[in-house]
């Protein structure tokens, strides 16, 4: 039943591979939990769902991840009801748990410049690729899933812009800064040389590849950014999403209209984008505290 549901999400709802993987993992874990209780997930009651969610919380899983699991289960049962395979939704009385309001982790302009220079100054991995990777993610505000699927065929000939397919198959155009364009142009000959060495020519259209000539993976990007974060000396936990947060924060702080930033980020709701105005407020508080004689 779960496989049928995932097939439905892919064929009818057009969910992305990343979304399908997340829902699949959530539902697989829930199904195993139900089996350990001696029941089928299709026949579970609200008690089993509530117990499963309580167990996730007890494992100190992030509130957002717990809520996503509940959303996955809730959607599964809604689908079953539509197909007349079940009469009730055991999640109907269950509410999402409260998530703490936290400000995005960002690098300020000078910190971002220092971080982007690390591939050249440390030489710990693949300097040309890593500089292009960091600048591409930052200058276009890309999600990690968007950068690993960024293909050569979707980038303009002048490297000014690219067509991105984001969450839910939603497409948008993103733009690259001059520094990002220069970094990509410097990386491309090294990319071609790597493809020739590994005999992978013509096998991949992905912009960013690993040393085996294969498209770079999401864990691979996380590992690369993590390595440079360790070398940065900035005292911040820098992850791939921090580059996207920094992109949005710098635009808002420079006076860019929030709705334009919303379009650039590919957010469906303006409320998601508005949190970057709170980051600006936090910066103003720090300036006030450092400058006011009676603060």
């Amino acid at each position: 039943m779960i496989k049928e549901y995932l097939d439905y999400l892919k064929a009818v709802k057009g969910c992305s591979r990343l979304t399908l993987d997340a829902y699949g993992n959530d539902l697989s874990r829930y199904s195993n939990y139900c089996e350990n209780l001696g029941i089928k997930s299709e026949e579970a009651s609200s008690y089993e769902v509530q117990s499963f969610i309580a167990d996730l919380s007890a494992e100190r899983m992030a509130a957002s991840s717990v809520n996503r699991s509940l959303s996955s289960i809730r959607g599964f049962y809604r689908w079953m009801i539509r197909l007349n395979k079940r009469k009730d939704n055991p999640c109907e009385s269950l509410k999402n748990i409260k998530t703490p309001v936290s400000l995005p982790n960002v690098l300020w302009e000078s910190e971002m410049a220092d971080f982007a220079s690390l591939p050249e100054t440390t030489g710990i991995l693949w300097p040309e690729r890593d500089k292009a990777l960091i600048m591409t993610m930052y200058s276009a505000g890309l999600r990690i899933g968007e950068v690993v699927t960024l293909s050569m065929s979707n980038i303009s000939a002048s490297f000014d812009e690219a067509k991105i397919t984001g969450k839910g198959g939603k497409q948008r155009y993103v733009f690259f800064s001059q520094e990002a364009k220069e970094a990509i142009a410097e990386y491309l000959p090294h990319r071609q040389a790597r493809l020739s060495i590994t005999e992978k020519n013509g096998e991949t259209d992905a912009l960013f590849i690993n040393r085996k000539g294969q498209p770079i993976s999401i864990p691979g990007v996380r590992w690369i950014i993590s390595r440079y974060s360790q070398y940065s000396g900035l005292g911040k936990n820098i992850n791939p999403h921090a580059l996207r947060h920094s992109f949005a924060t710098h635009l808002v702080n420079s006076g860019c209209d929030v709705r334009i930033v919303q379009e650039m980020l590919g957010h469906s709701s303006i409320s998601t984008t508005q949190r970057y105005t709170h980051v600006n407020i936090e910066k103003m508080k720090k300036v006030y505290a450092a400058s006011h004689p009676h603060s």
Side-chain angles (χ1 to χ4, degrees):
M1 289 292 292
I2 289 175
K3 184 181 183 303
E4 286 183 33
Y5 175 58
L6 294 175
D7 289 341
Y8 160 79
L9 291 179
K10 180 179 180 180
V12 179
K13 292 294 186 179
C15 291
S16 69
R17 178 177 56 81
L18 296 177
T19 299
L20 292 172
D21 287 346
Y23 281 22
N25 290 335
D26 292 339
L27 291 172
S28 176
R29 185 170 184 175
Y30 172 63
S31 178
N32 290 335
Y33 179 85
C34 290
E35 285 182 12
N36 289 334
L37 296 178
I39 61 172
K40 294 181 179 180
S41 57
E42 294 89 340
E43 302 169 357
S45 68
S46 59
Y47 173 78
E48 282 80 32
V49 180
Q50 194 167 11
S51 297
F52 175 69
I53 296 301
D55 275 12
L56 295 183
S57 299
E59 293 174 9
R60 298 183 180 275
M61 179 181 283
S64 57
S65 298
V66 174
N67 287 337
R68 191 200 63 207
S69 292
L70 181 56
S71 177
S72 300
I73 299 168
R74 189 183 285 129
F76 174 60
Y77 287 124
R78 276 201 299 260
W79 172 76
M80 287 189 66
I81 292 172
R82 287 196 200 101
L83 295 182
N84 294 318
K85 294 180 180 292
R86 187 174 175 120
K87 293 182 179 180
D88 67 309
N89 191 331
C91 302
E92 191 170 351
S93 62
L94 302 181
K95 296 181 180 179
N96 286 357
I97 62 176
K98 289 185 177 180
T99 55
V101 178
S102 58
L103 294 174
N105 185 24
V106 300
L107 298 173
W108 301 114
E109 286 85 343
S110 59
E111 293 175 329
M112 189 64 234
D114 291 340
F115 188 75
S117 67
L118 286 175
E120 299 169 301
T121 57
T122 61
I124 56 174
L125 299 173
W126 185 350
E128 296 80 11
R129 179 203 60 189
D130 299 344
K131 174 70 177 290
L133 176 68
I134 291 171
M135 291 309 305
T136 298
M137 295 182 71
Y138 166 63
S139 72
L142 299 181
R143 299 180 178 96
I144 187 170
E146 294 169 346
V147 76
V148 298
T149 56
L150 180 59
S151 62
M152 296 287 292
S153 56
N154 286 335
I155 303 175
S156 65
S158 58
F159 305 127
D160 286 315
E161 62 186 48
K163 189 177 183 180
I164 297 293
T165 301
K167 287 186 176 180
K170 185 179 179 181
Q171 294 186 326
R172 72 184 190 278
Y173 280 93
V174 297
F175 311 100
F176 301 130
S177 66
Q178 183 61 35
E179 190 172 359
K181 289 164 55 179
E182 293 173 357
I184 293 173
E186 184 176 350
Y187 157 65
L188 287 180
H190 296 272
R191 174 186 180 275
Q192 184 57 46
R194 178 57 53 180
L195 290 175
S196 298
I197 293 172
T198 56
E199 298 183 348
K200 296 289 185 179
N201 272 321
E203 292 187 19
T204 178
D205 192 38
L207 173 61
F208 293 108
I209 60 173
N210 58 28
R211 291 191 177 276
K212 294 181 180 179
Q214 301 167 336
I216 199 168
S217 65
I218 287 179
V221 173
R222 288 201 179 105
W223 183 78
I224 290 167
I225 301 301
S226 174
R227 287 294 305 276
Y228 288 114
S229 177
Q230 295 170 11
Y231 276 81
S232 69
L234 294 173
K236 292 185 175 182
N237 181 24
I238 305 167
N239 55 42
H241 219 60
L243 305 183
R244 178 171 159 88
H245 289 323
S246 302
F247 161 82
T249 302
H250 298 170
L251 287 180
V252 171
N253 287 353
S254 299
C256 185
D257 186 277
V258 176
R259 292 197 177 276
I260 295 177
V261 178
Q262 176 192 0
E263 290 294 323
M264 291 182 177
L265 290 172
H267 284 161
S268 299
S269 171
I270 188 67
S271 62
T272 309
T273 315
Q274 283 176 331
R275 61 178 171 166
Y276 295 106
T277 61
H278 298 307
V279 175
N280 198 18
I281 291 171
E282 286 299 308
K283 186 177 182 181
M284 287 191 288
K285 284 182 180 179
K286 291 179 181 179
V287 172
Y288 174 84
S291 306
H292 197 285
H294 299 290
S295 65

